[in-house]
Every structure is written in C-alpha cells, then in structure tokens.
Amino acid sequence: MEAQRNVLPILFLAVILFLLQCVLPQRVAISSQIERRALLDLRSSLGLREKEWPIKADPCTSWLGVQCLNGTVRNIIVSGLRRTRLGRLSPRFNVDSLVNLTQLVSFNASGFPLPGSIPDLFGSQLAHLEVLDLRSCSVSGSIPASLGNSSRLASLYLGNNNIAGSIPLALGQLSNSKFLDLSGNSLTGSIPSSFGSLANIERLELASNYLSGSIPPGLGSLKGLEVFNVSDNNLSGSIPSQLSNLSRLLELDLSKNSLYGSLPEEFKMLKSLQKMVIEDNMLDGPLPIDLFSSLIQLQVVDLSGNKLDGVLHGTFWSMPNLRFFDVSSNNFTGPVPALSSNHTVSMAAVFNLSNNFLYGTLKFSLGRFKSIDITGNYFQDKVVDNSGRNATVDRNCLQALNQRSSDDCRLFYTERGLSFDNFGEGNKIRPRAAEARFESRKRWIFILAGVLGGICFIIILVLVLVLLLRRYDKGIRNQRGSGNIGPVPEGDSPQLPKDSTNVDGSGDPFTYEQLLQATGKFCGTNLINHGHSGDLFRGVLEGGIPVVIKKIDLSSFKKELYMTGMDLFRKLSHARFVPLLGHCLEHETDKLLVYKYMPNGDLANSFYRATNSDDDSLKSLDWITRLKVATGAAEGH
C-alpha cells in the first residue's frame, strides 16, 4: 500500500511533463544553411552585439528574438536589442537578407533605430508576412505601394516615424488587415477612399499627420472597426452620417481638425461607443436631444472648443459609466437641469461646462462631484455645498467671490427677459459696486483736473514769454532810436560822423595820413590777422608808441558794426578789455580804430606758448593756467 502511494505522484508528474512537451514548441536547431547565412548577414548589417546574437551559437536556440518552427525561422524581434559601438555610429535600414527567410511571419523592430526608407521586399518577396512593426524606428521616405500586395499582412504598424508623402491607394487591398497604424508621421493628401475595402480592419489610426480633405463616407462600411482616430490633422467638411453604421465602434477621435456642420443625429446608433472626442473643430448647431440617453456605454465625452449651441439637455447625468464630460468653450445656453434621484451620475466623474452661456440657479449640490467646472457662465443665486472645493465657479453671477460685474449680469438677464437677483440683494445697488463707481468717477475728475491745469499753465507760460519778448524788442528799438548819433531817418542807414568831435569817449582823433605812415601804408608785413569785423595791422606812432590799428572797410561790412564797436568802448571800460587809444573817421570808406599793442597776443593765443624746441612748436598751457585765464576773462563780462 505504501509503495502505491509513492508511485502515484511520480505517474502524475510524468503525465504533466508529457503534456507540456506536446503543447510547448520544441527548440530545434536551424535546418537551413541559407537561413543561417541570412541571419548572420542581418546580424552584421544591423550591428547587433555578440551577447544577443552570438555568432557561434545556433540562431533558433540561442539568439534573442529569433523564433523558429521545426528549424525554420518564423519570427524576428530586434526590438529591445542593442547595437555595437560601430553599429550605433552608422545605423541604417539594411535588411535585404530577409528575402532568404521565405517563411518569415513577423518582423518587429519597434523602437530600434532604422533610419532610411522601407524596402519593397516586405510587400513583394515575403509572401507569408503577417506582422510588420516599425513603430518609432526613425523610418523616413514614403510608404511603398508594394505593401498592398501582402495579402496575409494583418498588422501594419508605422507610427511615430518621419514618413512623408501620401497614403498609397494600394493599402486598401489589405483585405486581411486588422490593425493599421500610420499615426505620428508627416503624411499629406487625403484619406484614400479605398480604405472602405478594409473589411476586417479593427483599428485604423491616422492621427497627427497633415491629412486634408473630408472623411470618406465609405468608412461607414467597416463593420468590424473598433477604433477610428484621425485627430490632429487638417481634415475639413462635415462628419459623414455613415459613421453611425459602425456598430462595433468603441473609440472615435476626430479632434483638432476643421470639421464643421452639426453632429449627426444618427450618432445615437453607436450603442457600443465608449469614447467620443471631437474637440477643437468648428461644429455648430444643437446636439441631438436623446444623444446621451442612447449612448449609455460612454465613458469619455469631449466636445469642447466648437460652436455648438442650443440647450444642454440633462440626459448626460444619466450615463452610468461616465468618467469625463467636457463641453466647455461652446455656445450652449439655458438652465442646467437639476440632478434627481433617478440620475445615476458617477461620483468619480469629471465635468467641465465652462465658458458657455448657461444661466439660472444651480439646483443641485456641487459637493457630490469629484470635479466640476462651471467658470464663465451666468449662473446666479447661492452655491450649494461646495465645502470640498471641488468646484470652480468663477466669473458667474453667483453669490460668491470672483464673479462678473452686476452690469454684465443684469444686461445678460434683461436681454432674455429674465430677472436677476442682483447677487441676493434684489433691486438695490450693491454698496461695493456703487463705491467702485464713485471711486472711478473721482479718479477721472482728478485726471481731468490735472490735464486742464497743465494746459492752463502752458498757456500762461506762453503769454508771459510773448510779453517779455515784446518788451525786449521794444527796448532794443528805443535804444537804437536814442544816443549821440542822432535819429535815423526812415528807410536810411545810420550815418557815421566825419568829425571826431562828435565821437566823445572814443580816444584821440588821428589823421588818415598819420595812420597810413604808422602802418607802412598798411603793408602785408604789418598784417596781424584778418578779423571778422576788420583787418588788424601793427603800427608805430610818432614817438615810438606801438599800436594795433583795425581797418574797417565799409564796402564789405555794414556801418552798424563800426558804430556798435565805437558805442561799446564809449560805455565800457575794464582792465580786461584792450584799451582803445583813438580813431580816424575822415576816410570815406575805411574807418580806423587804434588800440594799445598787447605783446602777449590776444586771448586765443594765450592758451599756447612757444617752446624752446627748434621747430618753434606751441605747447598747450596747463589746466591751472587755463583756469586763471578763464577767470580773468570772466571778470570782463
């Protein structure tokens, strides 16, 4: 009896091992040298490491990602493998050796860098290929039309690459295809109408490309389609009502396009739909009345960023599986129906009704929601139970903080013939609002007074300047009209006296002959400088007195200049001015002034002094000496 008890476990274990041996595939060594050579070439072209694909080991039994059946290679997975250093330096899409793996069923390189174009061999020479996964492989170029010849290809994953160009019409021939992912590329053109022939398709993902045109109505014939995603493209036109025939559709994402028109009434036939995302389009018009009551399987609804209007019916409260509901940034209006005991809204749901034109009273507690946002509407009255702070109620007409102005709310309700509770204060003007208006008026009064005061000040200043200028101008005319010269007849220039006795205070009179002899007949050797009001000459009077004689040629200069000079030296006498010794007025055109000779030159020459060098160059005075000169010159002012 004891022996029988020991045998039973052994027999049971043997049966288990036999069954496992029958069920599990046997790891048999590769049987074809051609396939072995093809794998070695693939190892070399992809630059795979010795650790993953050891060169001396059998590929079917020892190489990671290589799966064989009866010694024949069926599946190759290079996803997750790493290249050698040389392989990383020059990665390329070189898999030509795969043509010798005639029984290959799947090739998965997801996440493995293969920069370059997709070879035609996948569609033209691998007749048994069922799965091609090239997601996130840095693939570029265009999609080869030859892939449409892969009659057995059931799964084609080309998402998140750099593929450009249009989608080949030939892909519509993949009648056995269940999964087609072309998302996250740079594809252009329209969605091929031939996709309506993908009878067995279950997932069609074309998101994040540059596709344009309209959605082909023929896609409504894809009875087995469960996921349809064309978001983030440039699609336009209306949503085809034929999509309502997709009875097995679970996820519909048409977001971030330029679709317009209304949401098809027929969409209420999508009984299996769990996710409906049509945000950021240009849809308008009202929603079908019984849309949400028909789609009871919905978990995610996002219709935000459109132009939908009309009443937002409260049937969305009745979706038992709802997790996310967003109709923000539309034109919905009217009151929101209250929640009743019959509504089965989930406590875990998130609602966003913000930035619409919803109004009325919130007749339900906001505390029952996980999160609700009603910002930017016109709800009034009190907020019911928001102790949990799970609701955002800003910019409404509620009795709460951060609301719209009373004028804004009153205008909104008046335009619709409705009454506004004025934030719970009836028809009374809110003290804060009245005070704010008073402060605003007061501020404007101050601003206006300041502006007017500034203008008046400028006007007064201008008038004062005009009066001063007129008085100054009058004084100059009076000064010109008086003095020892005598009045000036109208239309004539002032006449210079020819007799020296009429010029008092202007030094001794000299004869023209005296000064002509003193300057050597005004020869060039005695010329000191050409002044702006006359030429200066050195001269020596009788008795050896050195002088400087200014010769004013009245044919080149106005007579007023000479008169002004004479008048100046009559009125002013200062140690800082060069003394005027005399004058000569007897010559008709040349008038002469006689000054004391200054051996050190004039003020300009005083800034320099001769050096002891041979070239007689001038050296600038130091700044202390310059300061003394400037101070002395200022004393003559």
Side-chain angles (χ1 to χ4, degrees):
M1 182 66 68
E2 186 67 26
Q4 291 178 350
R5 291 177 181 175
N6 294 332
V7 170
L8 287 175
I10 297 174
L11 291 175
F12 180 75
L13 182 60
V15 170
I16 295 298
L17 292 175
F18 175 76
L19 292 175
L20 289 175
Q21 187 176 11
C22 294
V23 174
L24 295 176
Q26 300 297 313
R27 297 179 68 85
V28 180
I30 192 167
S31 58
S32 171
Q33 290 299 318
I34 295 177
E35 291 191 354
R36 180 182 178 86
R37 171 50 57 187
L39 288 175
L40 289 174
D41 291 343
L42 183 64
R43 176 186 182 276
S44 176
S45 62
L46 296 182
L48 297 177
R49 299 194 312 170
E50 173 76 14
K51 184 178 181 180
E52 278 90 7
W53 284 19
I55 193 170
K56 294 182 179 180
D58 184 80
C60 288
T61 59
S62 303
W63 286 15
L64 293 178
V66 176
Q67 299 174 358
C68 303
L69 179 63
N70 299 323
T72 301
V73 178
R74 302 299 299 273
N75 304 308
I76 295 179
I77 303 174
V78 297
S79 178
L81 301 184
R82 289 181 291 178
R83 284 188 167 100
T84 61
R85 186 178 65 84
L86 292 178
R88 291 194 301 270
L89 292 175
S90 58
R92 50 201 173 97
F93 202 161
N94 186 358
V95 293
D96 293 343
S97 58
L98 292 179
V99 297
N100 294 319
L101 304 177
T102 57
Q103 301 299 313
L104 188 66
V105 174
S106 70
F107 181 77
N108 185 349
S110 176
F112 189 86
L114 292 173
S117 301
I118 302 173
D120 285 332
L121 63 92
F122 286 109
S124 59
Q125 295 178 284
L126 297 177
H128 293 84
L129 191 66
E130 297 178 4
V131 178
L132 178 59
D133 191 345
L134 300 175
R135 286 174 291 184
S136 303
C137 290
S138 302
V139 177
S140 58
S142 59
I143 301 174
S146 60
L147 287 176
N149 300 326
S150 300
S151 57
R152 296 189 180 185
L153 191 61
S155 302
L156 177 60
Y157 302 104
L158 302 179
N160 298 317
N161 283 292
N162 302 315
I163 302 173
S166 59
I167 302 175
L169 294 174
L171 293 188
Q173 302 173 12
L174 299 175
S175 56
N176 290 318
S177 180
K178 293 184 177 181
F179 306 101
L180 179 58
D181 182 5
L182 307 179
S183 61
N185 284 286
S186 300
L187 296 171
T188 56
S190 59
I191 301 175
S193 58
S194 61
F195 276 12
S197 302
L198 300 174
N200 294 308
I201 195 73
E202 296 179 4
R203 296 182 68 96
L204 180 57
E205 302 196 32
L206 307 175
S208 299
N209 282 286
Y210 298 95
L211 299 175
S212 57
S214 58
I215 300 174
L219 298 182
S221 63
L222 305 178
K223 301 296 184 179
L225 190 62
E226 297 179 356
V227 176
F228 181 50
N229 189 346
V230 291
S231 64
D232 194 17
N233 278 285
N234 299 322
L235 298 175
S236 58
S238 59
I239 301 175
S241 60
Q242 290 83 349
L243 295 183
S244 61
N245 297 326
L246 303 176
S247 58
R248 297 181 59 183
L249 191 64
L250 301 177
E251 298 182 13
L252 175 65
D253 194 340
L254 310 178
S255 62
K256 299 179 181 178
N257 282 287
S258 299
L259 302 172
Y260 53 82
S262 60
L263 196 65
E265 181 82 20
E266 295 82 0
F267 266 28
K268 61 186 179 183
M269 298 171 57
L270 299 173
K271 302 294 185 178
S272 301
L273 195 62
Q274 299 177 5
K275 178 180 179 181
M276 180 171 63
V277 181
I278 319 180
E279 64 169 324
D280 291 340
N281 279 280
M282 297 186 292
L283 300 181
D284 55 16
L287 295 177
I289 296 177
D290 53 352
L291 176 66
F292 298 126
S293 60
S294 301
L295 305 180
I296 59 175
Q297 300 298 326
L298 275 174
Q299 299 179 14
V300 175
V301 176
D302 192 348
L303 302 175
S304 63
N306 284 283
K307 301 178 182 179
L308 297 169
D309 54 29
V311 177
L312 187 61
H313 299 284
T315 53
F316 62 88
W317 297 132
S318 302
M319 292 186 284
N321 299 310
L322 192 63
R323 296 292 180 270
F324 183 83
F325 184 82
D326 189 350
V327 292
S328 62
S329 301
N330 279 285
N331 298 322
F332 290 115
T333 188
V336 175
L339 282 168
S340 65
S341 57
N342 296 326
H343 291 134
T344 55
V345 61
S346 173
M347 297 293 292
V350 173
F351 292 88
N352 190 346
L353 313 180
S354 64
N355 298 314
N356 282 283
F357 297 93
L358 303 173
Y359 58 84
T361 303
L362 296 173
K363 299 179 181 179
F364 49 86
S365 171
L366 298 179
R368 65 184 300 180
F369 298 97
K370 178 182 179 181
S371 176
I372 184 169
D373 187 352
I374 60 172
T375 301
N377 285 285
Y378 289 87
F379 292 112
Q380 64 174 337
D381 207 349
K382 297 180 180 180
V383 179
V384 182
D385 186 18
N386 188 27
S387 57
R389 302 297 180 185
N390 55 340
T392 307
V393 299
D394 295 345
R395 291 190 294 111
N396 277 278
C397 303
L398 295 164
Q399 298 174 30
L401 299 175
N402 302 321
Q403 300 299 297
R404 296 179 184 270
S405 67
S406 59
D407 291 339
D408 189 4
C409 294
R410 186 177 296 103
L411 177 62
F412 177 86
Y413 278 90
T414 301
E415 288 176 344
R416 289 158 178 78
L418 303 172
S419 60
F420 173 47
D421 69 350
N422 199 29
F423 301 97
E425 298 183 12
N427 294 325
K428 296 180 180 179
I429 300 177
R430 300 180 73 195
R432 292 183 181 177
E435 184 180 351
R437 290 195 197 95
F438 175 74
E439 291 295 333
S440 178
R441 293 195 195 100
K442 187 176 179 181
R443 184 169 57 253
W444 279 108
I445 290 174
F446 285 142
I447 293 174
L448 185 60
V451 172
L452 293 177
I455 294 174
C456 292
F457 175 76
I458 294 174
I459 293 174
I460 294 172
L461 182 61
V462 171
L463 291 175
V464 171
L465 290 176
V466 170
L467 292 175
L468 290 176
L469 289 174
R470 286 184 176 179
R471 182 171 295 178
Y472 178 74
D473 188 43
K474 183 178 180 181
I476 292 177
R477 288 199 300 270
N478 292 337
Q479 184 177 1
R480 289 179 178 176
S482 62
N484 298 328
I485 303 176
V488 180
E490 185 177 354
D492 295 335
S493 299
Q495 299 295 322
L496 293 175
K498 296 182 179 181
D499 189 359
S500 62
T501 59
N502 296 329
V503 190
D504 297 332
S506 299
D508 299 330
F510 292 92
T511 65
Y512 189 77
E513 291 296 330
Q514 285 180 311
L515 300 183
L516 192 67
Q517 183 178 0
T519 58
K521 299 182 179 181
F522 298 105
C523 64
T525 55
N526 289 326
L527 179 64
I528 299 175
N529 189 17
H530 288 291
H532 68 278
S533 59
D535 295 337
L536 298 178
F537 291 88
R538 294 186 186 90
V540 180
L541 297 176
E542 295 178 359
I545 301 174
V547 293
V548 173
I549 301 171
K550 177 182 284 189
K551 180 181 180 183
I552 300 175
D553 186 358
L554 295 184
S555 63
S556 301
F557 301 95
K558 294 181 180 181
K559 298 177 182 179
E560 290 85 352
L561 295 176
Y562 184 74
M563 291 290 296
T564 301
M566 295 287 291
D567 187 55
L568 176 65
F569 281 100
R570 282 202 308 270
K571 294 180 179 180
L572 297 179
S573 177
H574 196 278
R576 301 302 181 185
F577 281 94
V578 179
L580 179 65
L581 301 180
H583 57 273
C584 177
L585 306 177
E586 63 185 38
H587 198 274
E588 184 67 25
T589 59
D590 294 334
K591 304 302 178 181
L592 306 173
L593 296 177
V594 182
Y595 298 94
K596 180 180 178 181
Y597 177 74
M598 307 301 290
N600 291 328
D602 58 9
L603 180 61
N605 291 330
S606 297
F607 283 101
Y608 298 91
R609 66 171 181 268
T611 63
N612 296 326
S613 59
D614 297 333
D615 57 357
D616 294 330
S617 60
L618 296 178
K619 181 179 180 182
S620 175
L621 296 177
D622 58 83
W623 286 105
I624 299 299
T625 306
R626 284 172 175 259
L627 179 60
K628 293 179 179 179
V629 172
T631 302
E635 291 177 0
H637 188 270

